[in-house]
Amino acid sequence: MKKLLLLFILSLGAISSVNASSIKGAFGYSLGDVEVIEGWHSTFNRITNISKQFKPYRPLPGFKRYYIHVTLDENKIYSIRASTYEDEKLYERSCYDSKIIDSALKLLQSKYGRFKLIYNQRVEVEYTAAVLFGGVREYKGIEESRRWEFNDGNRSINLSCYKSLKLGQAFSLELEYIDNDLYKLFKEENRIKNGESQPINLNTTPEI
């Protein structure tokens, strides 16, 4: 545990912040900076994303993938994300008993202040669902969702954990730094691009 905390301390040294209440960015990138990304465009359900995967100098223990997302026209970074997604071999993991989450939350709070637990759910489920190549599969067990949030003006940091029986009993973690004003700009750019008269209903950040 001490070794894991030390790795988090070194990793969070790469997260830039002038003081304890200022969200600037993470992993060598700053929110609001211009980053021109070529060839990384994707479109799903009328939403166009421009993102890039990168490898930080000091990755966070337990987080395997790192992305930045930029606005469509001005190419400004509105989201910096670290995530991991584990397959069914690790389905015994729990959002309520994770050294990775505990260490990340402790170090983030020491740097920025108290994070608020805004979503906390653990339910027993049982259902069937269609599977690839036909047939159905029965699912029975525990599903979990937890999310912590820290807000500073128009910027936020979100730490999330999900355990789902679907998609091979997946266990996933995500840490996101987001500029909400730039995210609103991103949605408006998509509205204009699609010729929509009303803002697109997109309440969550786009999928990686």
Side-chain angles (χ1 to χ4, degrees):
M1 184 67 177
K2 290 182 178 179
K3 183 178 180 181
L4 185 61
L5 283 172
L6 177 59
L7 288 172
F8 268 107
I9 291 171
L10 293 174
S11 300
L12 289 181
I15 298 176
S16 56
S17 177
V18 174
N19 55 60
S21 62
S22 178
I23 301 173
K24 297 296 183 182
F27 313 117
Y29 287 96
S30 296
L31 293 170
D33 279 1
V34 174
E35 183 77 16
V36 178
I37 301 173
E38 300 292 343
W40 288 80
H41 297 210
S42 64
T43 302
F44 177 75
N45 195 25
R46 304 191 339 272
I47 304 301
T48 297
N49 291 315
I50 305 177
S51 62
K52 180 178 76 171
Q53 187 172 5
F54 67 94
K55 184 177 181 179
Y57 177 66
R58 288 196 179 103
L60 287 176
F63 292 84
K64 299 180 179 179
R65 297 182 297 177
Y66 299 80
Y67 293 85
I68 57 171
H69 294 265
V70 301
T71 58
L72 303 186
D73 297 326
E74 298 184 10
N75 301 118
K76 290 185 177 181
I77 298 173
Y78 69 84
S79 174
I80 305 168
R81 307 173 79 176
S83 64
T84 193
Y85 182 88
E86 305 290 2
D87 62 19
E88 60 185 37
K89 294 178 181 179
L90 297 174
Y91 72 93
E92 294 293 347
R93 285 190 177 184
S94 171
C95 294
Y96 290 83
D97 183 23
S98 171
K99 293 181 180 179
I100 295 173
I101 295 175
D102 292 343
S103 296
L105 190 60
K106 183 176 181 179
L107 267 296
L108 287 166
Q109 290 188 142
S110 70
K111 190 175 186 69
Y112 295 102
R114 181 177 178 272
F115 276 60
K116 183 179 180 181
L117 181 62
I118 62 172
Y119 196 77
N120 187 25
Q121 180 173 292
R122 189 174 190 270
V123 296
E124 186 173 350
V125 298
E126 182 176 358
Y127 55 87
T128 59
V131 296
L132 192 62
F133 306 120
V136 296
R137 179 176 178 178
E138 294 185 356
Y139 296 91
K140 183 177 181 180
I142 301 297
E143 290 193 335
E144 302 171 345
S145 300
R146 304 189 82 190
R147 182 179 178 181
W148 295 263
E149 183 179 82
F150 175 80
N151 294 306
D152 179 23
N154 70 310
R155 292 181 173 180
S156 304
I157 303 174
N158 301 308
L159 177 64
S160 305
C161 177
Y162 303 99
K163 181 181 178 181
S164 173
L165 298 185
K166 295 180 180 179
L167 303 176
Q169 298 176 319
F171 177 85
S172 60
L173 299 171
E174 181 176 285
L175 174 64
E176 180 182 36
Y177 295 71
I178 186 167
D179 186 303
N180 295 295
D181 287 346
L182 289 177
Y183 180 54
K184 291 177 183 177
L185 174 62
F186 161 78
K187 292 193 291 183
E188 178 65 11
E189 289 172 333
N190 266 285
R191 183 188 69 80
I192 295 174
K193 179 179 181 298
N194 288 287
E196 301 284 345
S197 59
Q198 298 294 327
I200 295 175
N201 183 15
L202 185 62
N203 295 322
T204 60
T205 51
E207 293 297 326
I208 293 176

